[in-house]
Amino acid sequence: MDYTNCWLEYKKISDKNKSDIALLCEIEGPIIKNGIKELTTGFHSLYGRYLNIVNNEELYQEAKASIHIKLDTSLSLSPDGYRLECVSGKSIIMATSEIGLLYGVYALLRNLNIQKIVDYDNWSFTEEKEPANPHRMLNHWDNMDGSIERGYSGNSFFFKNNEILLNERTKEYARMVASVGINGVVINNVNVKNAATELISFRYYEKLRTMSELFASFGIKLYLSVNFAAPIELGGLDTSDPCDDKVITWWEDKSKEVFENIPKLGGFLVKADSEGRPGPFTYGRTHADGANMLAHGVKPYGGLIIWRCFVYNCQQDWRDTKTDRARAGYDNFMPIDGAFSDNVILQIKNGPMDFQVREPISPLFGGLKKTNMMLEVQIAQEYTGQQRHVCYLIPWFKEILNFNTHCSPKHGTVADIVSGRTYHNTSCGIATVVNTGNDINWTGHDLAAANLYGFGRLSFDTELTSNEIGKEWIVQTFGHNEKVEENILRILMMSWPTYEKYTSPLGIGWMVKPNHHYGPDVDGYEYDRWGTYHKADNKGVGVNRTESGTGYCSQYNEPLASMYANRETCPEELLLFFHHVEYGYVLSSGKTIIQHIYDTHFEGAKEAEMFYQMWDELHGLMDEATFDRGKKRFTHQKEHAKEWCDVINSYFYRKTGINDKYGRPLY
Amino acid sequence: MDYTNCWLEYKKISDKNKSDIALLCEIEGPIIKNGIKELTTGFHSLYGRYLNIVNNEELYQEAKASIHIKLDTSLSLSPDGYRLECVSGKSIIMATSEIGLLYGVYALLRNLNIQKIVDYDNWSFTEEKEPANPHRMLNHWDNMDGSIERGYSGNSFFFKNNEILLNERTKEYARMVASVGINGVVINNVNVKNAATELISFRYYEKLRTMSELFASFGIKLYLSVNFAAPIELGGLDTSDPCDDKVITWWEDKSKEVFENIPKLGGFLVKADSEGRPGPFTYGRTHADGANMLAHGVKPYGGLIIWRCFVYNCQQDWRDTKTDRARAGYDNFMPIDGAFSDNVILQIKNGPMDFQVREPISPLFGGLKKTNMMLEVQIAQEYTGQQRHVCYLIPWFKEILNFNTHCSPKHGTVADIVSGRTYHNTSCGIATVVNTGNDINWTGHDLAAANLYGFGRLSFDTELTSNEIGKEWIVQTFGHNEKVEENILRILMMSWPTYEKYTSPLGIGWMVKPNHHYGPDVDGYEYDRWGTYHKADNKGVGVNRTESGTGYCSQYNEPLASMYANRETCPEELLLFFHHVEYGYVLSSGKTIIQHIYDTHFEGAKEAEMFYQMWDELHGLMDEATFDRGKKRFTHQKEHAKEWCDVINSYFYRKTGINDKYGRPLY
C-alpha cells in the first residue's frame, strides 16, 4: 500500500486477552457493513482479538466480552447521534440510524485507543453524542487534470487526465474522513473550468454514481462544484442570466438529469462573480437571483446550493483608499439577507480577507439573520506554511467558533449560528478547504493530518478543546509514548502562535510572495490590484478601517464596532488590521510597535528552531520513514522562519531607521 | 501570408519609368540566386519595372538602365564587403565573394528606397562598405516545444512540439536578417534541455542540414546551443568532466558526426555553470578546460565555440554584503585570460548584471587581453518593456560600443575590441538575444522591429548613428511621409531615455516583478537570492561598490576605476549602481536624489502619454491594422508608465517621508 492509515493505524495496545468478542447486530446495510469491518479491523489490530458474529441473543449473553449494535428509534437523538454504553466489556452501540451507529463504532474504537484500555473485558464507559453541526464538509480544490489548486501534498486522488479515479484509496479516504464525522465532500475545485464543467454530463455520471454510493456507505454526501456559465459552455445557450426562462429551464432539466443519474448527490457548490468566475453580476442580477435559480432546479430532489460569499473587486486600484476588500462580503450580501431560498446556504470564509494567519471574524456572521450560513475555513494552509511549516489550526478555529458576534443575547457565537442554535435552522455547518493529496501520508507534512483530524472532530463536537483533539490525534497516529505525546503536543499547541509571530505582524496579513503565497515579501501585494495593503511608511503601518477610514468597523454589531474602532480597546493582535498606527505606539506589553515586531519575529524564529529540536528528540520513537519526513520539514521550517524573521525585521528597520533595543542583527 | 515583410516591403516610389532594366550577372550560386530574386522583387515593387537578364555584354551596354553583378577578387575588400558604383542608372555591384555581392544588392535597394530615388535612370551614387564586425549574430532563446524564453512576440517559428519547422517563413526570416548583415544565427535556447539536447543527434540532422543550407544561401551560418551535460544525457556516460578521456572522445566523435551531417554548421553556443545549468565547475575544472575541450572537438571542421560569461552565484544570501554579482564575470574569467583556444569566443553581456535599462559596461572588455570576445546585447527587451513598451535600444548600443575601456591608447572602445581592431583577431563580433516570434509583425510591437533592423545595421556598420538607422527603418517600413517619419523618429529617439526615467532610477536596476520581470516591484528582488539589490532604507539608496564596499570599481582600468569610485565624478546616471547615496545628495542639476526620482518619473510617464498622442496623429497615414496594433500598445504603455511612476515614487515617498517639491500626488 502506498499510503498510510493516518490515525486509523490502530497500533497494538495489548494482546493479553485472546478470547473472541461476540458481536450482535440485527440490522443490515452498506453503512453497518463498514461499521462491522471497522470493528473487526480495530479489535484485531488493538488487541489481536477476533469478532464472533452471533445471531442469537443467547450466545451473545453468554460471551464474556461483547458488542451489540442496536438501532433504537425511540432514543431522543438526532439521526447521526449515537449512544455508547459499556459495562465490564459488554458494549452497546445505539442510534436512531445506520450512520449514527457507524459513528458509535468509530467512537468505541477511538475511546479504547486514546484511553489506552488494556483490558477491554473490564472496561466500563458511557458516551452520548450528537454532532454539533448539521453539515460537516470538505471542499477539495482538485482539478480534473490531477493538479490541486493550493494543494501541498501531491496530486489529486479523485482525478487524473480528466478522468475520475475510483480505487481502494477512494474507499480509504471515505473511511478516514467518516471516522471523524465528515458528512459532505465536494470533490472538484470551486474554479470550474474545462472538463470539470462536464462533471454534470453523461461523460461522468456513471463513475460519480459509483462514488456517491461508496461515500453514502460511510454517511457522506457527494457534492459537485458547478460552473455558473454551464448553460453557455455546456448547454450551448447564449446566456447564463438566472432570470432568463431558457436558463431556468436548462437548469431544471439539468438538475433532473443529474439527480436521476446520481440520486445520492447532495447538491452543488458555486463560486460566482469571484476572481474572474462568471456569475449573476454579468447580467445585472443579484446573488439571490443566481442562487435561487439553481436552488429551484435541485429542490425536487432534496438538493442544496452552497453559495460562496468570496465576492470582491479584484481589480482594485491600490491608490484608492476608499475601496476596502474587507467590506466587500458584507456590502454584497447584507442587502439581500432573507432573499435566499431555504435550500441555499451561504458559505462564508472565517475572515473578511482570505485565510490569513490572523483576521477578524467576518461581519456577515453577525449581520445576516434570515439566511442559512456555513463557516468556511482552510486547512490547506495556503497562507500558514503550506504544509511545510507545522501550523495546527484548531486553536484558531476554536477562537473563530467561540467569537461572540452579538447578533443574539443568548446564542451569539459563530458556533451558535452555524450549528443552527441561533436561528433554528438545519441548513448550516462548517466546511474546510482540505489538505489532502496523493502523498504517501495524505497531507505532505505528517503533522498536517492533525488539522484534517481536528477539523472533523471539531465540526462534530465543537466543545472539544484543541488540546484534547491534539492528544487524541497523536496517540492514535503514533501510539502511546510519553515523550512523543509531550513533544508533538507542545509543537502543535505552539505552532499557530509561532507562525503568527514570525510572519506578518498584528493582524495586517498579506506580506507574502504573490501568486504562490509562500515566503515573505512585504510589498508583494502592496502596489497591486488585490485589495490587500499594509500602508507602511516611515512613520506607521496598518489600515484605518474606522469611520475616518474605510468604515469597515461599523459592519460589526455593538459593542464590537466600538471596540474595534478604538485603538485602545481593539484587540492588539488585530491592531494593524483596523488602525494605521505609528511605530512608537506603546502596546499593553509596554513595547512599542516596532520593538514588538522585532521581538516577536526573533522569538518565532527561535521557536521554529525548538520545534526542530523537539522533533529530533523523537528519533527512534517512531518508524524511521515518518521521522525522516518530519525532520526534512522541520529543517526547512527553521530555515524559512529565519528568512521570514530577517526579511520582515529588515524591511521595517530600513523603513524606520529604528534600531532593535537588544542590538540583534537587522540587515 | 500571415506575416508582414517588415522593412522589405519596398513600397512604391515611382512608376514613371516603365522600361526594363538590364541585369548582367556572370556567376552562379545559391547566394547570387537570392540576390537576383531580391533585385527583381525590389525593382518591381519600387518602380514597377522588370529586370531583363542578359548574358552578353552588348545587350547590357545598350540598355539605358542596368545592373551589373560582378565578382572581382582583385578588390581590396574583405569577403563580405561590397562596392556599389552607379552612374546615371548604370549600377555595378562588386565584391570578392558571393555574399559581398548579396550585401551589395541589399545596399542598392536600400539606398534607392531611403533616398527616395524617383528616377533611377539618372541616379549616380557610390558606396563601399566592409562589415565592422566579423560575427554578427542572433541568439534565439526558442524552446523545442514552441515556447520562447523571454519571448514577447508569439511562439517560435523554428520549433513546434519538439519538431523543427521548415517553411516559407524560415526563408523569409533568413532573407530579412541577411538584408541587414546578420551572418550567424543560434536557433535554440541557451538553456538546453529535453529534446533540445538531441539537436546534435540523428533525430534532427536532416532538417538541420536543410536549414543550414537555406541559411547559407543568405550568407548565414547556423549555430546550435548545446548542453554541457550531453555526454551524460545523450551519450550515457557517467560524467561530463572536460578532462575525462571518455568525455573528450565522446565530444570528438559527436563533433565529427554533427559536422559530417551538417557541414555548413558554424559551431556551438554554451551556457555553462549558469543559473543551474551544468558546467565544468561541477568537476572542479575551469571554464577554459570546458570550452577548450569542446573547441578541440569542432576544430577539424572549422567550428567555433561561443562560451557565455554569464556566470555568477544565483544562490546568494541577501544579507551578505561582500558578495557582489557585478564582480562575478571578471572574477571568474580574468584569471584564465589567455587560456582559451583560438576557436573559442567568450560572449560577454554588455553590463555586469543582466540587460537592465542602464548598467556600466562589463569590466571584462577592458580586462581580457588574450581572449576572443563577443559583445552580447538583448533586443528582446526583457527588462525594457518586453516589446509592449517602445524602447529603441540602438542609442544605448551606440553608447556601449563607444565606451572607452582604456585597455589600449588607440583602440580602447568596446567597438574596437569586438571588431578585432584592438587585438587583430577575427573571432569576435556582436550578438543579440533576438526579439522575433511568429506574431504577424514578427516582433509583437511593430516598432520593436527597429531594434532588429538596427541591431543588424549597427553590427555591420558601427559608424551609423541611431538617428540614421531609425530614419532608414521608418521609411523602408512605412514609406515616405513626413509626419510619419517625424513622429516615429521622435518616439524612437526619446523612447530609451523615457523608459529609463519612469523605471528604476540612476542605474540601480532590478525594481521589477520577479520571474516574469514585467512591471514595478521595488523590493521584488531585494530579499532574494539573485544578487540584485538596491539597499534602500529611510536615509539612502544604492550599492557601495567602491573599495569600502564590494570593490567592484577596481575591476576597471584607470582612469575609470577612480572616476566610478568617486561620487562626484561618477556619471550620475550610474550613481546608485556604484554608491549608496543619501536622498538629500544634490545632483549636478541642483536637484536632490529624491526630487530627481520624483521629477524623472513624472516626466517619463508624461512622455509615454506623448508617445500615445504622437502615434494617434498618424491615423490614416498607414494601414489600419498596423495603426491599431500600435495604438493598443501605446495605450498600454502610457497606463503602465503611470503605474511605474506611481509605484516607484510612492515607494520612496513612504520610505523617506519627503514630499514632492511640486505637490504632485504620491500615495
Side-chain angles (χ1 to χ4, degrees):
Chain A
M1 207 168 68
D2 57 354
Y3 47 89
T4 67
N5 282 312
C6 292
W7 57 87
L8 294 179
E9 184 67 28
Y10 298 123
K11 289 180 187 285
K12 190 169 295 300
I13 288 177
S14 156
D15 49 10
K16 270 188 246 159
N17 300 294
K18 290 293 188 188
S19 70
D20 287 2
I21 294 171
L23 174 69
L24 178 66
C25 177
E26 283 144 348
I27 56 162
E28 276 185 10
I31 299 180
I32 284 300
K33 202 174 145 199
N34 282 324
I36 293 174
K37 198 173 162 208
E38 194 70 29
L39 284 173
T40 308
T41 305
F43 272 88
H44 187 258
S45 293
L46 291 170
Y47 301 106
R49 296 175 79 166
Y50 293 94
L51 296 186
N52 179 19
I53 298 175
V54 295
N55 288 321
N56 72 61
E57 193 78 16
E58 210 169 325
L59 277 172
Y60 166 73
Q61 293 296 355
E62 282 169 13
K64 177 157 172 43
S66 64
I67 299 165
H68 186 184
I69 296 176
K70 188 176 163 188
L71 205 61
D72 182 350
T73 50
S74 70
L75 286 166
S76 66
L77 276 174
S78 70
D80 41 8
Y82 63 86
R83 180 168 171 80
L84 201 58
E85 285 177 13
C86 185
V87 180
S88 305
K90 288 179 171 288
S91 299
I92 310 174
I93 302 169
M94 287 168 279
T96 63
S97 76
E98 266 197 86
I99 180 61
L101 293 171
L102 180 63
Y103 289 150
V105 166
Y106 288 124
L108 172 62
L109 290 167
R110 179 167 56 239
N111 276 291
L112 288 168
N113 203 343
I114 63 184
Q115 294 179 41
K116 204 184 174 188
I117 302 304
V118 174
D119 183 6
Y120 172 70
D121 295 6
N122 285 305
W123 186 52
S124 295
F125 178 74
T126 306
E127 180 174 272
E128 186 177 295
K129 292 277 180 191
E130 287 177 327
N133 298 288
H135 292 282
R136 307 175 297 279
M137 298 188 67
L138 303 182
N139 288 185
H140 290 266
W141 285 359
D142 292 23
N143 298 316
M144 297 204 58
D145 62 2
S147 65
I148 303 179
E149 186 165 329
R150 311 304 177 188
Y152 312 106
S153 49
N155 289 320
S156 175
F157 46 75
F158 290 129
F159 307 111
K160 188 175 177 176
N161 299 330
N162 293 332
E163 292 301 330
I164 292 173
L165 303 177
L166 264 175
N167 52 41
E168 208 43 41
R169 191 161 188 164
T170 324
K171 191 169 178 181
E172 282 307 305
Y173 162 80
R175 171 193 171 219
M176 196 158 78
V177 303
S179 79
V180 288
I182 296 302
N183 69 351
V185 166
V186 189
I187 58 169
N188 65 307
N189 189 356
V190 288
N191 293 316
V192 185
K193 295 175 192 173
N194 309 321
T197 301
E198 295 178 53
L199 280 171
I200 50 169
S201 80
F202 281 95
R203 181 170 175 191
Y204 296 110
Y205 286 146
E206 200 182 320
K207 286 206 163 176
L208 288 174
R209 180 189 190 121
T210 308
M211 189 186 280
S212 72
E213 285 164 356
L214 168 66
F215 283 2
S217 75
F218 287 94
I220 298 166
K221 281 219 166 171
L222 172 71
Y223 291 78
L224 296 172
S225 295
V226 294
N227 183 343
F228 194 80
I232 299 171
E233 292 179 32
L234 199 59
L237 302 189
D238 58 1
T239 177
S240 294
D241 181 350
C243 299
D244 185 300
D245 284 341
K246 292 193 302 290
V247 174
I248 297 167
T249 306
W250 189 87
W251 277 111
E252 279 172 355
D253 295 347
K254 179 53 76 177
S255 300
K256 182 163 188 285
E257 177 191 299
V258 170
F259 279 89
E260 273 173 5
N261 283 282
I262 322 170
K264 291 190 187 299
L265 191 77
F268 301 141
L269 173 65
V270 190
K271 175 176 181 177
D273 289 317
S274 171
E275 298 179 335
R277 301 311 302 150
F281 283 169
T282 313
Y283 307 100
R285 311 299 180 183
T286 72
H287 278 243
D289 293 331
N292 293 346
M293 180 272 295
L294 292 174
H296 162 76
V298 300
K299 184 141 194 164
Y301 319 99
L304 277 180
I305 298 301
I306 303 170
W307 190 268
R308 293 177 91 233
C309 290
F310 188 53
V311 178
Y312 69 98
N313 173 10
C314 67
Q315 298 286 349
Q316 187 177 337
D317 187 335
W318 57 270
R319 303 164 192 82
D320 166 12
T321 54
K322 294 288 165 229
T323 305
D324 181 3
R325 170 166 166 179
R327 293 188 59 112
Y330 191 95
D331 285 344
N332 279 310
F333 286 91
M334 270 307 285
I336 46 176
D337 185 22
F340 290 92
S341 303
D342 60 3
N343 63 330
V344 172
I345 307 180
L346 294 190
Q347 185 166 301
I348 304 166
K349 291 194 183 193
N350 59 276
M353 300 302 274
D354 190 14
F355 302 136
Q356 300 304 292
V357 69
R358 177 75 71 173
E359 289 186 43
I361 307 304
S362 168
L364 273 174
F365 289 111
L368 297 171
K369 295 206 177 337
K370 295 169 280 181
T371 303
N372 295 317
M373 283 176 264
M374 178 124 72
L375 168 65
E376 177 181 322
V377 293
Q378 189 201 47
I379 59 173
Q381 291 183 245
E382 178 179 355
Y383 295 94
T384 49
Q386 301 193 352
Q387 299 164 234
R388 299 178 73 191
H389 295 232
V390 61
C391 191
Y392 179 55
L393 291 162
I394 308 306
W396 179 211
F397 298 164
K398 289 287 292 182
E399 284 196 24
I400 293 162
L401 287 164
N402 289 337
F403 179 80
N404 188 351
T405 69
H406 293 274
C407 68
S408 143
K410 211 173 147 196
H411 293 300
T413 68
V414 173
D416 289 332
I417 295 162
V418 301
S419 65
R421 282 190 293 277
T422 313
Y423 301 114
H424 312 291
N425 56 338
T426 54
S427 286
C428 48
I430 315 189
T432 190
V433 182
V434 71
N435 60 357
T436 53
N438 68 1
D439 272 0
I440 187 171
N441 61 0
W442 298 82
T443 54
H445 201 312
D446 283 76
L447 268 56
N451 284 324
L452 179 59
Y453 179 88
F455 172 80
R457 291 288 288 140
L458 190 67
S459 67
F460 195 92
D461 185 355
T462 312
E463 297 303 310
L464 288 168
T465 68
S466 316
N467 212 61
E468 283 167 342
I469 293 173
K471 271 189 189 166
E472 284 188 1
W473 175 77
I474 294 167
V475 298
Q476 289 175 89
T477 302
F478 295 96
H480 289 270
N481 175 294
E482 212 173 305
K483 185 74 186 164
V484 172
E485 276 179 58
E486 183 191 317
N487 282 22
I488 296 184
L489 188 62
R490 197 155 161 233
I491 291 172
L492 289 182
M493 293 306 292
M494 286 178 73
S495 63
W496 172 53
T498 293
Y499 192 84
E500 187 179 17
K501 281 182 191 176
Y502 62 71
T503 57
S504 160
L506 296 166
I508 187 70
W510 293 109
M511 295 179 174
V512 292
K513 294 201 196 238
N515 307 320
H516 60 68
H517 299 162
Y518 196 70
D521 185 350
V522 181
D523 280 358
Y525 276 110
E526 188 59 13
Y527 302 97
D528 217 328
R529 64 185 175 87
W530 299 95
T532 51
Y533 314 114
H534 56 64
K535 304 282 179 193
D537 59 22
N538 66 330
K539 299 181 191 66
V541 54
V543 179
N544 180 358
R545 291 191 161 103
T546 68
E547 281 304 307
S548 67
T550 72
Y552 167 74
C553 281
S554 64
Q555 293 186 340
Y556 288 91
N557 297 316
E558 287 296 356
L560 298 171
S562 300
M563 177 185 79
Y564 288 133
N566 180 343
R567 51 156 90 172
E568 299 298 327
T569 55
C570 179
E572 286 185 345
E573 70 271 15
L574 288 168
L575 186 61
L576 301 183
F577 191 92
F578 285 104
H579 299 275
H580 186 82
V581 186
E582 58 277 21
Y583 296 107
Y585 179 83
V586 178
L587 296 168
S588 60
S589 60
K591 292 176 184 179
T592 59
I593 295 268
I594 187 76
Q595 192 59 40
H596 173 88
I597 292 174
Y598 294 153
D599 287 353
T600 49
H601 283 76
F602 284 119
E603 267 167 47
K606 188 129 212 142
E607 287 165 12
E609 267 184 60
M610 279 173 53
F611 294 170
Y612 172 85
Q613 289 301 334
M614 285 191 270
W615 184 261
D616 208 41
E617 289 168 12
L618 306 182
H619 190 215
L621 304 180
M622 63 182 70
D623 74 88
E624 205 63 15
T626 308
F627 176 79
D628 287 346
R629 279 198 302 270
K631 182 152 177 162
K632 276 201 194 93
R633 305 255 159 178
F634 281 110
T635 305
H636 171 72
Q637 183 176 1
K638 85 177 164 171
E639 288 164 2
H640 203 233
K642 178 167 168 26
E643 183 72 8
W644 266 101
C645 164
D646 287 347
V647 171
I648 301 283
N649 280 351
S650 297
Y651 177 92
F652 284 104
Y653 171 63
R654 292 193 194 178
K655 203 140 207 167
T656 62
I658 301 170
N659 287 309
D660 171 41
K661 208 169 139 182
Y662 306 106
R664 290 164 293 191
L666 302 168
Y667 302 92
Chain B
M1 204 169 68
D2 56 355
Y3 46 87
T4 67
N5 283 311
C6 293
W7 57 86
L8 294 179
E9 184 67 28
Y10 298 123
K11 290 180 187 283
K12 190 170 295 298
I13 289 177
S14 156
D15 50 9
K16 271 186 247 159
N17 300 294
K18 291 292 189 189
S19 70
D20 288 359
I21 293 171
L23 174 69
L24 178 65
C25 177
E26 284 144 346
I27 55 162
E28 277 185 8
I31 300 180
I32 283 301
K33 203 173 144 200
N34 283 323
I36 292 173
K37 196 171 163 211
E38 194 70 31
L39 283 174
T40 308
T41 305
F43 272 88
H44 187 257
S45 292
L46 291 170
Y47 300 107
R49 296 175 80 167
Y50 293 94
L51 296 187
N52 178 19
I53 298 175
V54 294
N55 288 321
N56 70 62
E57 193 78 15
E58 211 171 323
L59 280 171
Y60 167 72
Q61 293 296 356
E62 283 169 10
K64 176 154 170 50
S66 64
I67 300 165
H68 184 184
I69 297 177
K70 186 175 162 190
L71 205 60
D72 183 349
T73 51
S74 71
L75 286 166
S76 65
L77 275 174
S78 68
D80 41 8
Y82 64 85
R83 181 168 170 80
L84 201 58
E85 284 177 14
C86 185
V87 181
S88 304
K90 289 178 171 290
S91 298
I92 311 177
I93 302 168
M94 287 167 279
T96 65
S97 76
E98 266 198 86
I99 180 61
L101 292 170
L102 180 63
Y103 289 150
V105 166
Y106 288 123
L108 171 62
L109 289 167
R110 179 168 57 239
N111 276 291
L112 288 167
N113 203 344
I114 63 185
Q115 294 179 42
K116 205 183 172 188
I117 301 304
V118 174
D119 183 6
Y120 172 71
D121 296 6
N122 285 305
W123 186 52
S124 295
F125 178 74
T126 305
E127 180 173 271
E128 186 177 295
K129 291 277 182 190
E130 288 176 326
N133 298 288
H135 293 282
R136 307 174 297 279
M137 297 187 69
L138 302 181
N139 288 185
H140 290 266
W141 287 357
D142 291 21
N143 299 316
M144 297 204 58
D145 63 1
S147 64
I148 303 179
E149 186 165 329
R150 311 305 178 186
Y152 312 107
S153 49
N155 288 321
S156 175
F157 46 76
F158 289 130
F159 307 112
K160 188 174 177 178
N161 300 330
N162 292 332
E163 293 300 331
I164 293 173
L165 303 176
L166 263 174
N167 51 42
E168 207 45 41
R169 190 160 188 165
T170 325
K171 192 171 178 180
E172 282 306 304
Y173 162 80
R175 172 194 171 218
M176 195 158 78
V177 302
S179 80
V180 287
I182 296 301
N183 68 352
V185 165
V186 190
I187 58 171
N188 66 306
N189 189 356
V190 288
N191 293 316
V192 185
K193 294 173 193 174
N194 309 322
T197 302
E198 295 179 52
L199 281 171
I200 49 169
S201 80
F202 280 94
R203 182 171 175 190
Y204 295 111
Y205 286 146
E206 201 182 320
K207 286 207 163 173
L208 288 175
R209 182 191 189 120
T210 308
M211 188 186 281
S212 71
E213 285 164 357
L214 167 65
F215 283 2
S217 75
F218 287 94
I220 297 166
K221 281 217 167 173
L222 171 71
Y223 292 77
L224 296 172
S225 295
V226 294
N227 183 342
F228 194 79
I232 299 171
E233 292 179 33
L234 200 58
L237 303 189
D238 56 1
T239 177
S240 294
D241 181 351
C243 299
D244 185 300
D245 284 341
K246 293 192 303 289
V247 174
I248 296 167
T249 306
W250 189 87
W251 275 113
E252 278 170 357
D253 296 347
K254 179 52 75 177
S255 300
K256 184 164 185 286
E257 178 191 299
V258 170
F259 278 89
E260 274 173 6
N261 283 283
I262 321 169
K264 292 191 187 301
L265 191 76
F268 301 142
L269 173 64
V270 190
K271 175 177 181 178
D273 289 318
S274 171
E275 297 178 338
R277 300 311 301 151
F281 283 170
T282 312
Y283 306 101
R285 311 298 179 183
T286 70
H287 277 243
D289 294 332
N292 292 347
M293 181 273 293
L294 292 174
H296 163 76
V298 301
K299 183 139 194 165
Y301 319 101
L304 276 180
I305 298 301
I306 303 171
W307 191 268
R308 293 176 92 234
C309 290
F310 189 52
V311 178
Y312 68 98
N313 173 10
C314 67
Q315 297 287 347
Q316 186 176 338
D317 187 336
W318 57 269
R319 302 164 193 83
D320 167 11
T321 54
K322 293 290 165 227
T323 305
D324 180 3
R325 171 167 166 177
R327 293 188 59 112
Y330 192 94
D331 286 345
N332 279 310
F333 286 90
M334 270 306 286
I336 46 175
D337 186 23
F340 290 92
S341 303
D342 60 4
N343 63 328
V344 172
I345 307 180
L346 294 191
Q347 185 165 303
I348 305 165
K349 291 194 181 190
N350 60 275
M353 299 303 274
D354 190 15
F355 303 135
Q356 301 304 292
V357 69
R358 176 75 70 172
E359 290 185 43
I361 307 306
S362 169
L364 274 174
F365 288 111
L368 297 171
K369 293 204 177 341
K370 294 169 283 181
T371 303
N372 294 319
M373 282 176 267
M374 178 124 74
L375 167 66
E376 178 180 323
V377 294
Q378 190 200 47
I379 59 175
Q381 292 183 243
E382 177 180 355
Y383 295 95
T384 48
Q386 301 192 353
Q387 299 165 233
R388 300 178 73 190
H389 295 232
V390 62
C391 191
Y392 178 56
L393 291 162
I394 309 306
W396 179 211
F397 299 164
K398 290 287 291 183
E399 283 195 25
I400 293 162
L401 288 164
N402 289 337
F403 180 79
N404 188 351
T405 69
H406 292 276
C407 67
S408 141
K410 211 173 147 195
H411 293 300
T413 67
V414 173
D416 289 332
I417 294 163
V418 300
S419 65
R421 282 191 292 278
T422 312
Y423 302 115
H424 312 292
N425 56 338
T426 53
S427 286
C428 48
I430 315 189
T432 190
V433 182
V434 71
N435 60 357
T436 53
N438 67 2
D439 272 359
I440 187 172
N441 61 0
W442 299 81
T443 54
H445 201 312
D446 283 77
L447 268 57
N451 284 325
L452 180 59
Y453 179 88
F455 172 80
R457 292 287 288 140
L458 190 66
S459 66
F460 195 92
D461 186 355
T462 313
E463 297 304 309
L464 288 168
T465 68
S466 315
N467 212 61
E468 283 166 344
I469 293 172
K471 270 189 189 163
E472 283 189 1
W473 174 78
I474 294 167
V475 298
Q476 289 176 87
T477 302
F478 296 94
H480 289 269
N481 176 295
E482 213 174 305
K483 186 73 185 163
V484 172
E485 276 179 58
E486 183 191 318
N487 282 21
I488 296 184
L489 188 62
R490 195 152 162 236
I491 291 172
L492 290 181
M493 293 305 292
M494 284 178 75
S495 61
W496 171 53
T498 293
Y499 193 83
E500 187 180 16
K501 281 181 191 173
Y502 61 70
T503 58
S504 159
L506 296 166
I508 188 69
W510 294 108
M511 294 177 174
V512 292
K513 295 203 195 238
N515 307 320
H516 58 68
H517 300 161
Y518 196 70
D521 185 350
V522 181
D523 281 356
Y525 276 110
E526 188 60 13
Y527 302 97
D528 216 327
R529 63 184 175 88
W530 298 95
T532 50
Y533 313 115
H534 56 64
K535 303 282 177 194
D537 59 21
N538 68 330
K539 298 181 192 67
V541 53
V543 178
N544 180 359
R545 291 190 160 105
T546 68
E547 280 304 305
S548 67
T550 72
Y552 167 75
C553 280
S554 64
Q555 293 186 340
Y556 288 91
N557 298 317
E558 287 295 357
L560 298 172
S562 301
M563 177 187 79
Y564 288 132
N566 182 340
R567 52 155 91 173
E568 299 299 325
T569 55
C570 179
E572 286 185 345
E573 70 270 17
L574 288 168
L575 187 60
L576 301 182
F577 191 92
F578 286 104
H579 299 274
H580 186 81
V581 185
E582 59 276 23
Y583 296 107
Y585 179 83
V586 178
L587 296 167
S588 60
S589 60
K591 292 177 183 178
T592 59
I593 295 270
I594 188 75
Q595 192 59 41
H596 173 88
I597 292 173
Y598 295 153
D599 286 354
T600 49
H601 283 76
F602 284 119
E603 267 166 48
K606 189 128 214 143
E607 286 165 13
E609 267 184 60
M610 278 174 53
F611 293 170
Y612 171 86
Q613 289 302 335
M614 284 191 270
W615 185 262
D616 209 41
E617 288 167 14
L618 306 182
H619 190 213
L621 302 180
M622 63 182 71
D623 73 88
E624 206 65 12
T626 308
F627 176 80
D628 287 345
R629 279 199 302 270
K631 182 149 177 163
K632 278 202 193 92
R633 304 254 160 179
F634 282 109
T635 304
H636 171 73
Q637 182 175 1
K638 86 177 165 174
E639 287 164 3
H640 203 233
K642 177 165 169 27
E643 183 72 8
W644 266 101
C645 164
D646 286 347
V647 171
I648 300 282
N649 280 350
S650 297
Y651 177 93
F652 284 104
Y653 171 63
R654 292 194 195 178
K655 204 141 209 168
T656 63
I658 301 170
N659 286 309
D660 171 41
K661 209 169 140 183
Y662 306 104
R664 290 164 292 192
L666 302 169
Y667 303 91

